Amino acid sequence: KIGIEAQLLKDQLANMVDEDTIAFKNVMSSSRLPSTTEDEKKHKMKSLEAANKYAIEVPMKTAELCFKVLVLSKNLVEKGNPNSVTDVGVASEIAFAGLRGACMNVEINLKNISDSNYRKNFQRKINKIIIKAGKLRSEIYDQTMSVLH
């Protein structure tokens, strides 16, 4: 059951790479829109806001998927094959790095959002998930090392 869920997460995370590319291209396309007239400026601003929100939502989803990998890793380090415990430990380290990297991408795009409530909401989300993930990663590391010793 865990293997099936892990494969699904792997596939979803691989798809997020493509989504992130699309999000970046949308931001770049929006930033290149003409802004000579007032109508063009309004259209460009609206387009950029939407593109930047998508460029925030994609890595936030990536961070959430990485967190799910950590949850699976915690389960595996407790119940899985002790001979594969280092694989689980490595997976959790990579998932944590992916999560933090995704949160950095959220953070860099937040500065381009005019809606302060939207910014605060996502700032709270990334702060919360990083703290929870850090604790979980530490637990997994400690459990992995205890199996090894």
Side-chain angles (χ1 to χ4, degrees):
K1 184 178 174 182
I2 292 172
I4 292 168
E5 192 171 349
Q7 286 299 318
L8 179 62
L9 283 169
K10 176 191 68 80
D11 293 343
Q12 290 173 318
L13 283 163
N15 288 335
M16 295 312 293
V17 173
D18 294 334
E19 286 297 313
D20 191 62
T21 301
I22 292 167
F24 178 75
K25 286 179 180 180
N26 288 346
V27 170
M28 296 309 293
S29 294
S30 294
S31 68
R32 291 183 184 120
L33 289 172
S35 57
T36 308
T37 68
E38 282 305 310
D39 284 345
E40 287 176 341
K41 286 178 187 177
K42 286 179 187 177
H43 174 69
K44 182 176 182 174
M45 240 174 64
K46 213 177 215 184
S47 181
L48 268 169
E49 186 86 358
N52 279 309
K53 283 184 176 181
Y54 185 60
I56 288 166
E57 292 161 8
V58 169
M60 190 68 231
K61 173 76 172 167
T62 301
E64 292 164 353
L65 290 170
C66 288
F67 187 81
K68 288 181 179 184
V69 172
L70 285 166
V71 171
L72 278 184
S73 296
K74 175 80 166 138
N75 195 357
L76 277 171
V77 80
E78 292 171 350
K79 300 174 185 171
N81 183 338
N83 294 322
S84 301
V85 73
T86 55
D87 294 335
V88 176
V90 170
S92 72
E93 294 294 324
I94 292 168
F96 185 64
L99 183 144
R100 286 192 357 174
C103 288
M104 287 181 216
N105 286 334
V106 170
E107 187 101 29
I108 197 167
N109 289 304
L110 279 176
K111 66 182 180 183
N112 299 316
I113 300 296
S114 61
D115 181 346
S116 64
N117 287 330
Y118 184 94
R119 284 193 319 266
K120 288 176 189 174
N121 180 44
F122 272 89
Q123 190 66 58
R124 275 193 297 271
K125 279 183 175 183
I126 61 174
N127 291 345
K128 184 178 176 181
I129 199 168
I130 288 172
I131 289 168
K132 284 174 59 178
K135 289 178 183 175
L136 191 52
R137 192 223 43 94
S138 290
E139 290 172 14
I140 295 164
Y141 178 80
D142 290 346
Q143 286 180 297
T144 299
M145 296 311 289
S146 71
V147 171
L148 295 176
H149 295 124

